[in-house]
Amino acid sequence: LSIGTSNAGQATGAMSIGGGNLFVGNVLLGNTTTGSAEGILQLQTASLLADNVVAGAGPGRRADVSLRNSTASIFDRFTLTNGELLLDDSLLSVGNEFALGADATLKIDIEGLLRGFQYGAIDARSALLDGVLAVHFFDGAEAHREADAMVHVPSRLLGDAKCPRQLIGADAVLAVGDLPDRDEPLVERQ
């Protein structure tokens, strides 16, 4: 499946799926070797099953992936080099490596304690993280969704092939049971 991908020139493309299941081999989204490319994939109450996802690769490229009340199971690798990945009450499972590039943003909305249902979560064997992590604590009364905390994640490899496939797990994402008050900073400098 190729969305907004070009070998030369300019390409834009978008795909929205509302309900149902999408089974594909590889997903190429907003990739280019020369020129510019922009691709958007939105899932709303849907499931995606794919071998690999390569998004936002090459010069002049951008990819946005939005999972809302959805699941995505990627057999091998999920790579987002430039763009945005939004996990809103959704679960992304990656069989091997999840990679977030320096020009990418991972947005996670937290509305409660149920993993994959009230907050976005990722399962991966390993993760290479760079870019920005934006977390939004949603209290239900808000009309807008802006990040409450944004952190640049320096490049590093997380995970071990011998460990369970839990990047963001039941007790991870900011120790969900111990969420800070909305007026308190997530990180305090010393």
Side-chain angles (χ1 to χ4, degrees):
L1 176 64
S2 184
I3 304 168
T5 298
S6 172
N7 288 328
Q10 182 177 355
T12 58
M15 175 181 249
S16 295
I17 301 169
N21 301 310
L22 176 62
F23 301 97
V24 295
N26 293 318
V27 176
L28 304 174
L29 183 64
N31 299 321
T32 185
T33 52
T34 61
S36 65
E38 181 175 352
I40 299 170
L41 176 61
Q42 299 174 326
L43 280 80
Q44 174 76 40
T45 317
S47 295
L48 169 67
L49 181 63
D51 291 332
N52 293 285
V53 173
V54 179
R61 77 292 188 225
R62 179 173 175 87
D64 293 323
V65 179
S66 173
L67 302 177
R68 296 180 185 275
N69 301 305
S70 297
T71 59
S73 297
I74 312 305
F75 178 71
D76 193 19
R77 298 181 195 289
F78 184 103
T79 303
L80 177 62
T81 305
N82 183 350
E84 180 178 292
L85 170 61
L86 169 66
L87 297 176
D88 183 4
D89 303 341
S90 298
L91 177 62
L92 171 63
S93 298
V94 182
N96 284 311
E97 184 180 86
F98 172 79
L100 182 70
D103 295 325
T105 299
L106 171 59
K107 289 186 172 183
I108 297 177
D109 287 348
I110 299 177
E111 298 175 29
L113 300 176
L114 296 176
R115 181 177 182 272
F117 293 98
Q118 290 181 319
Y119 69 91
I122 299 172
D123 288 343
R125 179 161 306 224
S126 67
L128 179 58
L129 302 177
D130 202 355
V132 175
L133 170 63
V135 178
H136 178 252
F137 299 99
F138 186 70
D139 65 11
E142 300 174 43
H144 61 85
R145 291 184 164 230
E146 294 180 15
D148 293 323
M150 292 182 68
V151 178
H152 180 269
V153 182
S155 180
R156 67 185 63 193
L157 178 66
L158 300 177
D160 183 324
K162 298 175 188 170
C163 293
R165 295 176 16 181
Q166 299 284 328
L167 171 62
I168 297 175
D171 297 319
V173 177
L174 304 175
V176 171
D178 300 313
L179 295 176
D181 290 332
R182 293 187 57 79
D183 296 330
E184 294 178 18
L186 287 175
V187 179
E188 293 188 52
R189 295 184 185 205
Q190 303 248 6

